[in-house]
Each structure stands twice: as C-alpha cells, then as structure tokens.
Amino acid sequence: MAAAMESAIVALAEKIPREKARPAPKRTLDDLANVYVLTDYHLGMLAWGEETGADWDIKIAEDMLVDWFAAAIAAGPAAKVGVLAQLGDLLHWDGLESVTPTSGHVLDADSRFQKLIRVAIRVIRRVIGMLLDRHEVVHVVMAEGNHDLAGSAWMREWLSAMYENEPRVSVDTSPDPYYCYEHGQTALFFHHGHKKLMAQIDTVFAAKFREVFGRTKHAYAHMGHLHHIDVKETNLMVIEQHRTLAAPDAHASRGGWMSGRDACVITYSKKHGEVGRVRINSQMLEAA
C-alpha cells in the first residue's frame, strides 16, 4: 500500500502546473533568516465556541492563517531567507474518514476531505507567494504529524513539483520525520514531537545530522504536538515546544488541556544564532 501511494504521488506530481519564477525583492539582509513556526493548525477541525471557548472551522482557519502571515512578514526584518516551518498536524484528519490515522479516534471535522485538500493547497500556495515577495530565498518544511501522516507526504511532494521551476524555493522532501536547515553557523532542527519528546530529541538531531551539528556553533530545535510552550536548554541545543493558533477542540476542552493561542516568527543570524522574535496571538488577529 505504501509503495502504491508513493507511485501515485509521483504520477500526480507530473501533472501539477509549475509555478513560474518571480522577481526577487531588491534588498534583503544577507545575515538573517526569519523562521515562521506554525504547528498543530488542524485545518478542517470543527469547534463550537459555546463548548470550547472559541469557534473554529475551515473558513476561520484559512482567513486566520493568511492574516497571521501578513502580520508576521510585516513585523520581521527583511531577511534574505524565509523558512516556513510547518511542524505537523496542518490537516486535522488524513483520509475520507475523519478519524486519527493510527488509533481511529473519531474527530470533529468541518467539510469533506477533498475540500480540505483544496483549501490546504490554496492557502499554502498563497503563503509561499507572500514569503517570496519578502525574502530572496524561501525554504519549506512540511513536517509529518500524527494527524496527517499521509497528508504531509503528498504536501511535500506536491510543493516540490509545483516549485521546481522557481529557484528561490526549496522544499524538504525527506520521508524521515526529523528535519534540518543550516544557516551559516546556526543549525535549525524540526520535529513534530509524536516520535520523540523534548528529553531525548537533542541527541537524535545531533546523531541524524552529525555533519551539520559539527559545522555549526548555535543549535535550535523546534517542536509542536502538545500545544503549549516549553523551553529547555541542554548541552547540545535549545529546544522549544510551540503553541498552536488553532482553537481547542471538544476533546482538548473536555480534557482540560488548555493553552494560549499564538505563533512566532523568529529571526536567526548566521553568526549569532537567535537575534529576535515576534509573537502574534489569535486575539491580535481577530481585533485587527
């Protein structure tokens, strides 16, 4: 089944219309990279505000994602590099049935799966276009999540095919759920958090990306999955677990798993590691 799915993805990618190269911005700061960290967005999830504290559906999610990137791009410096670090669970469910792919738990879903795919493609395409207008180089990470094991795979392959004629866009197509981007003396690592927790992740990254880790001076790991902030500095790197912009669903609300709703754009220097960040929360976007 896995081989058949991979073959289908390759065949479909051949028919995807390619994005044409567009003019790069005239002035960017060569030393800097802006990393737009998005995780657990759960596009397609349905939440009823009376039950969960906030409404969420596919239209709200699409509008908020575009608004967040517009605000984050405007707030950050004109860095040469923009990294779209989507850390997994972009899609709330992974097939025709709205259940979790591994355990089969029934999910509160808005709309049909084909419509979810259509919206996901439309909004990610729009976001990458916005990043290309701001940054000379755009790198895309579409990490595997526990809700979208298959969805993240076709998203990576589709994006790689669509932007193959745009030299300013690179897409990480690794099937391994651990990802890396090297920015001068700064190493950036990404993982959803469904396979390894914060306590063990630093050694996994150092082992999997041994050459990058050895060449660089600063190392940062970014994770999602648990929807709340946690930061840990080890002998090897700074590890950060991020919140989600998405509203809680009934499962989270009834279980009492509450957290703030925001996402960060983090600026890294080639020489000095992290040099700045902007945190934009859902209330700021709703009030705008």
Side-chain angles (χ1 to χ4, degrees):
M1 289 180 65
M5 180 179 292
E6 184 175 352
S7 299
I9 289 171
V10 172
L12 287 169
E14 293 176 355
K15 300 179 181 180
I16 294 174
R18 271 51 174 176
E19 287 279 349
K20 296 180 180 179
R22 63 177 74 190
K26 293 182 178 180
R27 294 181 180 178
T28 58
L29 301 171
D30 182 73
D31 181 52
L32 301 181
N34 289 351
V35 180
Y36 301 84
V37 182
L38 178 73
T39 188
D40 299 278
Y41 200 66
H42 291 282
L43 188 65
M45 184 261 284
L46 183 66
W48 180 32
E50 289 188 35
E51 180 180 23
T52 65
D55 292 317
W56 192 255
D57 59 32
I58 202 165
K59 180 66 167 60
I60 295 171
E62 182 178 10
D63 290 345
M64 182 171 288
L65 192 60
V66 172
D67 290 344
W68 186 86
F69 272 94
I73 290 169
K80 178 178 180 178
V81 178
V83 179
L84 171 53
Q86 194 283 115
L87 300 185
D89 285 2
L90 175 68
L91 308 180
H92 191 46
W93 79 99
D94 211 25
L96 297 180
E97 296 183 356
S98 52
V99 297
T100 53
T102 52
S103 60
H105 293 155
V106 177
L107 299 167
D108 294 331
D110 176 35
S111 195
R112 307 289 290 169
F113 189 60
Q114 184 165 340
K115 183 178 179 182
L116 173 59
I117 293 173
R118 185 176 300 173
V119 172
I121 289 174
R122 180 172 67 223
V123 72
I124 294 300
R125 234 178 129 176
R126 185 171 178 184
V127 164
I128 291 175
M130 296 164 69
L131 294 174
L132 282 169
D133 289 339
R134 180 64 162 170
H135 305 286
E136 185 177 337
V137 175
V138 174
H139 182 67
V140 179
V141 176
M142 283 283 151
E144 173 188 293
N146 57 300
H147 277 245
D148 55 6
L149 297 167
S152 60
W154 62 252
M155 285 288 286
R156 288 189 293 274
E157 296 297 330
W158 162 72
L159 287 169
S160 179
M162 173 164 281
Y163 290 98
E164 68 177 9
N165 295 331
E166 173 51 274
R168 295 198 293 123
V169 174
S170 59
V171 180
D172 192 329
T173 57
S174 172
D176 188 54
Y178 302 89
Y179 313 89
C180 173
Y181 185 78
E182 187 175 358
H183 181 64
Q185 287 292 300
T186 300
L188 303 170
F189 303 110
F190 309 99
H191 175 63
H192 180 60
H194 60 313
K195 294 298 183 182
K196 281 293 181 181
L197 299 177
M198 291 181 70
Q200 301 91 25
I201 196 70
D202 57 347
T203 58
V204 175
F205 281 132
K208 283 183 174 287
F209 303 101
R210 189 180 300 273
E211 292 185 0
V212 174
F213 186 78
R215 282 194 299 265
T216 53
K217 181 179 180 180
H218 312 283
Y220 302 86
H222 297 280
M223 304 173 66
H225 191 45
L226 297 181
H227 296 205
H228 64 260
I229 295 172
D230 198 359
V231 181
K232 176 183 177 64
E233 183 172 14
T234 72
N235 290 337
L236 300 179
M237 64 189 64
V238 176
I239 307 162
E240 184 169 359
Q241 182 178 277
H242 294 267
R243 286 172 171 169
T244 174
L245 276 169
D249 63 0
H251 175 71
S253 181
R254 288 170 177 264
W257 298 300
M258 311 303 294
S259 63
R261 296 171 55 193
D262 60 40
C264 294
V265 52
I266 308 171
T267 301
Y268 293 97
S269 161
K270 288 181 179 180
K271 299 177 182 179
H272 308 297
E274 182 180 340
V275 293
R277 71 170 57 202
V278 177
R279 186 183 303 277
I280 302 170
N281 64 46
S282 60
Q283 291 181 336
M284 295 164 65
L285 299 171
E286 292 164 352

Coordinates of all heavy atoms in Angstrom, one line a residue, residues 213-245:
F213 N 25.6 19.5 12.6 CA 25.8 19.8 14.0 C 27.3 20.1 14.3 O 27.6 21.1 15.0 CB 25.4 18.7 14.9 CG 25.4 19.0 16.4 CD1 24.4 19.8 17.0 CD2 26.4 18.5 17.2 CE1 24.5 20.1 18.3 CE2 26.5 18.8 18.5 CZ 25.5 19.6 19.1
G214 N 28.2 19.4 13.6 CA 29.6 19.6 13.8 C 30.1 20.9 13.2 O 31.1 21.5 13.7
R215 N 29.5 21.3 12.1 CA 30.0 22.6 11.4 C 29.5 23.8 12.1 O 30.1 24.9 11.9 CB 29.4 22.6 10.0 CG 30.2 21.7 9.0 CD 29.8 22.0 7.6 NE 28.4 21.9 7.3 CZ 27.9 20.8 6.8 NH1 28.7 19.8 6.5 NH2 26.6 20.7 6.5
T216 N 28.4 23.8 12.9 CA 27.7 25.0 13.4 C 28.0 25.2 14.8 O 28.5 24.4 15.6 CB 26.2 24.8 13.2 OG1 25.7 23.6 13.8 CG2 25.8 24.8 11.7
K217 N 27.8 26.5 15.2 CA 28.1 26.9 16.6 C 26.8 27.0 17.4 O 26.9 26.8 18.6 CB 28.8 28.3 16.5 CG 29.2 28.9 17.8 CD 29.9 30.2 17.7 CE 30.3 30.9 19.0 NZ 30.9 32.2 18.8
H218 N 25.7 27.4 16.8 CA 24.4 27.5 17.5 C 23.4 26.5 17.0 O 23.4 26.2 15.8 CB 23.9 28.9 17.3 CG 24.8 30.0 17.5 ND1 25.2 30.5 18.7 CD2 25.5 30.8 16.6 CE1 26.1 31.4 18.6 NE2 26.3 31.7 17.3
A219 N 22.6 25.9 17.9 CA 21.7 24.9 17.5 C 20.4 25.1 18.2 O 20.3 25.3 19.4 CB 22.2 23.5 17.8
Y220 N 19.3 25.0 17.4 CA 17.9 25.2 18.0 C 17.0 24.2 17.4 O 17.0 23.9 16.2 CB 17.4 26.6 17.6 CG 18.3 27.8 18.0 CD1 19.3 28.2 17.3 CD2 18.0 28.4 19.3 CE1 20.2 29.2 17.7 CE2 18.8 29.4 19.7 CZ 19.9 29.9 18.9 OH 20.7 30.9 19.3
A221 N 16.2 23.6 18.3 CA 15.2 22.6 17.9 C 13.8 23.1 18.1 O 13.5 23.7 19.2 CB 15.4 21.3 18.6
H222 N 12.9 22.9 17.2 CA 11.5 23.3 17.3 C 10.6 22.1 17.2 O 10.7 21.3 16.3 CB 11.2 24.4 16.2 CG 12.1 25.6 16.3 ND1 11.8 26.6 17.2 CD2 13.2 26.0 15.7 CE1 12.7 27.6 17.1 NE2 13.6 27.2 16.2
M223 N 9.6 22.1 18.1 CA 8.6 21.0 18.2 C 7.2 21.5 18.4 O 7.0 22.7 18.8 CB 9.0 20.0 19.3 CG 10.4 19.5 19.2 SD 10.9 18.5 20.7 CE 9.8 17.1 20.5
G224 N 6.2 20.7 18.2 CA 4.8 21.0 18.5 C 4.2 19.9 19.3 O 4.7 19.5 20.3
H225 N 3.0 19.5 18.8 CA 2.3 18.3 19.3 C 1.5 18.5 20.6 O 0.4 18.1 20.7 CB 3.3 17.1 19.5 CG 2.7 15.8 19.7 ND1 1.6 15.4 19.0 CD2 2.9 14.8 20.6 CE1 1.2 14.2 19.4 NE2 2.0 13.8 20.4
L226 N 2.1 19.1 21.6 CA 1.4 19.2 22.9 C 0.7 20.6 23.1 O 0.1 20.8 24.1 CB 2.4 18.9 24.0 CG 3.0 17.5 24.0 CD1 3.9 17.3 25.2 CD2 1.9 16.5 24.0
H227 N 0.8 21.5 22.1 CA 0.0 22.7 22.1 C 0.4 23.7 23.2 O -0.4 24.7 23.4 CB -1.5 22.4 22.2 CG -2.0 21.6 21.0 ND1 -3.3 21.7 20.6 CD2 -1.4 20.8 20.1 CE1 -3.5 20.9 19.5 NE2 -2.3 20.4 19.2
H228 N 1.4 23.6 23.9 CA 1.8 24.6 24.9 C 3.3 24.9 24.9 O 4.1 24.1 24.4 CB 1.3 24.2 26.3 CG 2.0 22.9 26.9 ND1 1.4 21.7 26.8 CD2 3.2 22.7 27.4 CE1 2.2 20.8 27.4 NE2 3.3 21.4 27.7
I229 N 3.7 26.0 25.5 CA 5.1 26.4 25.5 C 5.9 25.6 26.5 O 5.5 25.4 27.6 CB 5.2 27.9 25.8 CG1 4.5 28.8 24.7 CG2 6.6 28.3 26.0 CD1 4.4 30.2 25.1
D230 N 7.1 25.2 26.0 CA 8.0 24.6 26.9 C 9.4 24.9 26.3 O 9.6 24.7 25.0 CB 7.8 23.1 27.1 CG 8.5 22.6 28.3 OD1 9.2 23.3 29.0 OD2 8.4 21.3 28.5
V231 N 10.4 25.3 27.0 CA 11.7 25.6 26.5 C 12.7 24.9 27.4 O 12.6 25.0 28.7 CB 12.0 27.1 26.5 CG1 13.4 27.4 25.9 CG2 11.0 27.8 25.6
K232 N 13.7 24.2 26.8 CA 14.7 23.5 27.5 C 16.1 23.7 26.8 O 16.2 23.6 25.6 CB 14.4 22.0 27.6 CG 15.4 21.1 28.3 CD 15.0 19.7 28.2 CE 16.0 18.7 28.8 NZ 16.2 19.0 30.2
E233 N 17.1 24.1 27.6 CA 18.4 24.2 27.1 C 19.3 23.1 27.6 O 19.4 22.9 28.8 CB 19.0 25.6 27.4 CG 20.4 25.8 26.8 CD 20.9 27.2 27.0 OE1 20.4 27.9 27.8 OE2 21.9 27.5 26.3
T234 N 19.9 22.3 26.7 CA 20.7 21.2 27.0 C 22.2 21.6 26.7 O 22.4 22.7 26.2 CB 20.3 19.9 26.3 OG1 20.7 20.0 24.9 CG2 18.8 19.7 26.5
N235 N 23.1 20.7 26.9 CA 24.5 20.9 26.5 C 24.6 21.0 25.0 O 25.6 21.5 24.5 CB 25.4 19.8 27.0 CG 25.5 19.8 28.5 OD1 25.4 20.8 29.1 ND2 25.9 18.7 29.1
L236 N 23.6 20.5 24.2 CA 23.7 20.5 22.8 C 23.0 21.6 22.1 O 23.4 22.1 21.0 CB 23.3 19.1 22.3 CG 24.0 17.9 22.8 CD1 23.4 16.6 22.2 CD2 25.5 18.0 22.5
M237 N 21.8 22.0 22.6 CA 21.0 22.9 21.8 C 19.8 23.4 22.7 O 19.6 22.9 23.8 CB 20.4 22.2 20.6 CG 19.4 21.1 20.9 SD 18.9 20.1 19.4 CE 20.5 19.5 18.9
V238 N 19.2 24.5 22.2 CA 18.0 25.0 22.8 C 16.8 24.3 22.1 O 16.7 24.3 20.9 CB 17.9 26.5 22.7 CG1 16.5 27.0 23.2 CG2 19.0 27.2 23.4
I239 N 15.9 23.7 22.9 CA 14.7 23.0 22.4 C 13.5 23.8 22.8 O 13.3 24.1 24.0 CB 14.7 21.6 23.0 CG1 16.0 20.9 22.7 CG2 13.5 20.8 22.3 CD1 16.2 19.6 23.6
E240 N 12.6 24.0 21.8 CA 11.4 24.8 22.1 C 10.2 24.1 21.6 O 10.2 23.7 20.5 CB 11.5 26.2 21.5 CG 10.4 27.1 21.8 CD 10.6 28.6 21.4 OE1 11.7 28.9 20.9 OE2 9.7 29.4 21.6
Q241 N 9.2 24.0 22.5 CA 7.9 23.4 22.1 C 6.9 24.6 21.9 O 6.9 25.5 22.8 CB 7.4 22.5 23.2 CG 6.1 21.8 22.9 CD 5.7 20.8 24.0 OE1 6.2 19.7 24.0 NE2 5.0 21.3 25.0
H242 N 6.2 24.6 20.8 CA 5.4 25.8 20.5 C 3.9 25.6 20.7 O 3.4 24.4 20.6 CB 5.6 26.1 19.0 CG 7.0 26.6 18.7 ND1 7.4 27.9 18.8 CD2 8.2 25.9 18.5 CE1 8.7 28.0 18.5 NE2 9.2 26.8 18.3
R243 N 3.2 26.7 20.9 CA 1.7 26.7 20.9 C 1.2 26.6 19.5 O 1.9 26.6 18.5 CB 1.2 28.0 21.5 CG 1.4 28.1 23.0 CD 1.0 29.5 23.4 NE 0.9 29.7 24.9 CZ 0.8 30.9 25.5 NH1 0.8 32.0 24.7 NH2 0.8 31.0 26.8
T244 N -0.2 26.5 19.4 CA -0.9 26.5 18.2 C -1.8 27.7 18.1 O -2.2 28.2 19.2 CB -1.8 25.2 18.0 OG1 -2.6 25.4 16.8 CG2 -2.7 25.0 19.2
L245 N -2.0 28.2 16.9 CA -3.0 29.3 16.7 C -4.4 28.8 16.8 O -5.4 29.5 17.0 CB -2.8 30.0 15.4 CG -1.7 31.1 15.3 CD1 -1.4 31.4 13.8 CD2 -2.1 32.3 16.1

